[in-house]
Amino acid sequence: MSASTLDVPTTTRRSFGNAVGLTCRACGARQELGPFYACIECFGPLEVRYDFPTITREQIEAGPKSIWRYQPLLPVPADIAAIPNTDPGFTRLVKADNLARELGIKTLWVKDDSGNPTHSFKDRVVAVALSAARELGKTVLACPSTGNLANAVAAAAARAGIRSVVFIPENLERPKVITTAVYGGTLVAVRGNYDDVNKLASEIAGEEEDWAFVNVNVRPYYAEGSKTLAYETAEQLGWRLPEQVVIPVASGSQLTKVDKGFTELGELGLVEPTPYRIFGAQATGCSPVAQAFRDGHDVVRPVKPDTIAKSLAIGNPADGPYVLDTCRRTGGAVEDVSDDEVRDGIQLLARTEGIFAETAGGVTIATLKKLLETGQLDPDAETVVFNTGDGLKTLDAVADRVGPAATIDPSYPDFVAADLA
């Protein structure tokens, strides 16, 4: 069954806020709102189209301290904040002066999304997808995941009182398995990597009409949640855009939606539409987009992932070509770093700013350093990097690098003998 032939009620404009339809990103064909993720003309990816009314900064600032302050800019009903959900967003934007001095960059910020309810940015996208699932009459919330999405879907479904079914690669980090299973949904380990899990999920989504796979058949709505990272960053900077951003790349959706968010703010007159450059960050063990960027290709060739950064280990990224277009169009780049550099990045951010990032954050910080060293990133331009998850989920990445400086008896002479004063 194709994604476009699912038998569902025609949706109303009101239930999806100011969203008025779906548009193919490849050919521009338009479709009605529904559980569709592929164009009926060319099978290209779909994204949400809006008819925005006049929106003011004052309206947004009067809203709740969550992503729902941007309700008029999302495909969600007007009363979304009153419906039980995990209320993600409005995470801190940290001025990273210590890290900036260490790297030799003038002005640096860290948008720290580890403060979300399940400690990653995935709570943003799941909250929007859950709203779409409700409006479309779906009864099961599901996903294929590399870990953080699994946490977010299981938690959001528990809060909403609906069933969740989460599919993960069998070799996922143990903390991410536990922090998904604890919410009580159905957790299924699949033999294979994420691309194998995603393929299975796509097959199930075509057969189980009551299931909303957040990143498959309701993906256009899910992806819109990433725009809130751009909105918050601009608002927290005093309603202006940064000059440069560095964003980790898995499927690539987050990077392209941050670009969409910045563009929308400019078009709506909420910020001055100043130029910005977008940079993508990947681990060398799964870097198909970085490789395509370096080679000057428009097509991303799939790879078999082999990296400690499992949350970015998508060998066939759906938004890969759009990441290339976004980074080239804005004057940015896509780079990759080794697993040892990822560990260095985690420790560097923790040592300088007291922020413990998961491996994706280590990829981002290490890539920031590499971009500066290679002259691709301007050290005098204001830069924001995105930390998308909590280091407590990927402790094994640095477990063999850190520990006590010494083990001593509880006596002052032993303390002196250990040369710790």
Side-chain angles (χ1 to χ4, degrees):
M1 180 182 294
S2 74
S4 60
T5 59
L6 290 172
D7 182 19
V8 296
T10 299
T11 54
T12 66
R13 177 175 174 175
R14 183 177 179 183
S15 62
F16 284 89
N18 294 313
V20 295
L22 301 172
T23 301
C24 177
R25 296 164 68 187
C27 72
R30 295 186 173 188
Q31 295 181 214
E32 68 176 13
L33 292 165
F36 315 132
Y37 61 98
C39 175
I40 57 174
E41 300 293 336
C42 71
F43 214 65
L46 300 173
E47 69 177 358
V48 178
R49 179 167 47 88
Y50 298 89
D51 181 9
F52 289 128
T54 298
I55 300 168
T56 67
R57 294 177 182 176
E58 289 74 21
Q59 279 179 279
I60 292 171
E61 290 167 351
K65 290 191 178 301
S66 71
I67 63 171
W68 305 132
R69 68 200 283 108
Y70 308 107
Q71 176 274 326
L73 303 171
L74 297 170
V76 296
D79 63 347
I80 183 65
I83 302 171
N85 65 82
T86 58
D87 291 318
F90 221 68
T91 55
R92 60 182 184 161
L93 182 68
V94 179
K95 186 99 179 317
D97 291 338
N98 296 330
L99 180 58
R101 274 193 296 275
E102 181 119 352
L103 295 179
I105 186 169
K106 190 173 180 180
T107 308
L108 181 64
W109 302 84
V110 177
K111 179 62 174 169
D112 185 16
D113 246 19
S114 66
N116 274 312
T118 66
H119 309 287
S120 89
F121 85 101
K122 292 293 187 182
D123 290 311
R124 297 174 182 272
V125 288
V126 168
V128 178
L130 172 60
S131 174
R134 281 194 179 105
E135 299 301 332
L136 295 167
K138 305 296 184 183
T139 58
V140 177
L141 200 67
C143 72
S145 174
T146 56
N148 283 326
L149 182 58
N151 293 176
V153 164
R159 172 73 175 137
I162 63 174
R163 183 188 176 201
S164 69
V165 183
V166 169
F167 299 86
I168 57 172
E170 64 172 341
N171 68 345
L172 199 63
E173 297 102 330
R174 184 66 178 160
K176 288 180 178 174
V177 174
I178 295 169
T179 51
T180 299
V182 73
Y183 294 107
T186 302
L187 179 62
V188 182
V190 178
R191 297 184 191 91
N193 60 30
Y194 174 79
D195 296 295
D196 298 315
V197 179
N198 189 45
K199 181 173 181 292
L200 171 62
S202 297
E203 292 174 3
I204 296 172
E207 299 295 333
E208 303 292 337
E209 296 187 3
D210 289 337
W211 288 35
F213 278 85
V214 298
N215 51 346
V216 181
N217 56 349
V218 291
R219 184 178 180 84
Y221 313 94
Y222 159 93
E224 291 293 284
S226 287
K227 295 192 309 181
T228 58
L229 269 166
Y231 301 154
E232 286 180 20
T233 298
E235 182 180 351
Q236 290 170 321
L237 286 175
W239 291 108
R240 59 184 176 77
L241 303 182
E243 295 173 281
Q244 301 175 139
V245 292
V246 184
I247 304 172
V249 174
S251 74
S253 173
Q254 184 187 62
L255 185 147
T256 59
K257 295 306 176 187
V258 167
D259 177 48
K260 184 178 181 182
F262 286 160
T263 301
E264 286 177 349
L265 291 179
E267 291 175 346
L268 290 166
L270 293 168
V271 300
E272 184 72 22
T274 52
Y276 55 84
R277 303 169 72 200
I278 295 184
F279 296 83
Q282 292 200 298
T284 304
C286 185
S287 55
V289 187
Q291 291 175 33
F293 184 88
R294 273 195 298 272
D295 294 340
H297 294 162
D298 295 327
V299 176
V300 176
R301 181 174 295 178
V303 300
K304 187 175 182 180
D306 181 16
T307 172
I308 63 169
K310 295 187 187 303
S311 61
L312 303 183
I314 297 179
N316 188 16
D319 272 31
Y322 301 99
V323 170
L324 293 172
D325 174 68
T326 301
C327 292
R328 286 171 176 151
R329 173 172 46 79
T330 62
V334 189
E335 265 292 0
D336 61 84
V337 289
S338 70
D339 282 356
D340 276 346
E341 290 173 310
V342 173
R343 296 184 181 95
D344 292 343
I346 292 171
Q347 290 183 270
L348 176 60
L349 181 61
R351 176 169 58 78
T352 56
E353 299 298 341
I355 298 172
F356 185 19
E358 69 158 14
T359 49
V363 169
T364 307
I365 298 301
T367 299
L368 167 71
K369 184 172 183 287
K370 186 172 185 178
L371 290 165
L372 285 163
E373 290 172 347
T374 55
Q376 297 178 81
L377 194 138
D378 182 357
D380 294 322
E382 182 174 55
T383 303
V384 177
V385 296
F386 290 83
N387 174 41
T388 52
D390 193 322
L392 292 175
K393 296 185 180 188
T394 56
L395 287 172
D396 286 349
V398 292
D400 61 352
R401 288 187 166 204
V402 298
T407 301
I408 62 173
D409 288 330
S411 71
Y412 186 71
D414 264 30
F415 167 72
V416 173
D419 197 23
L420 297 171

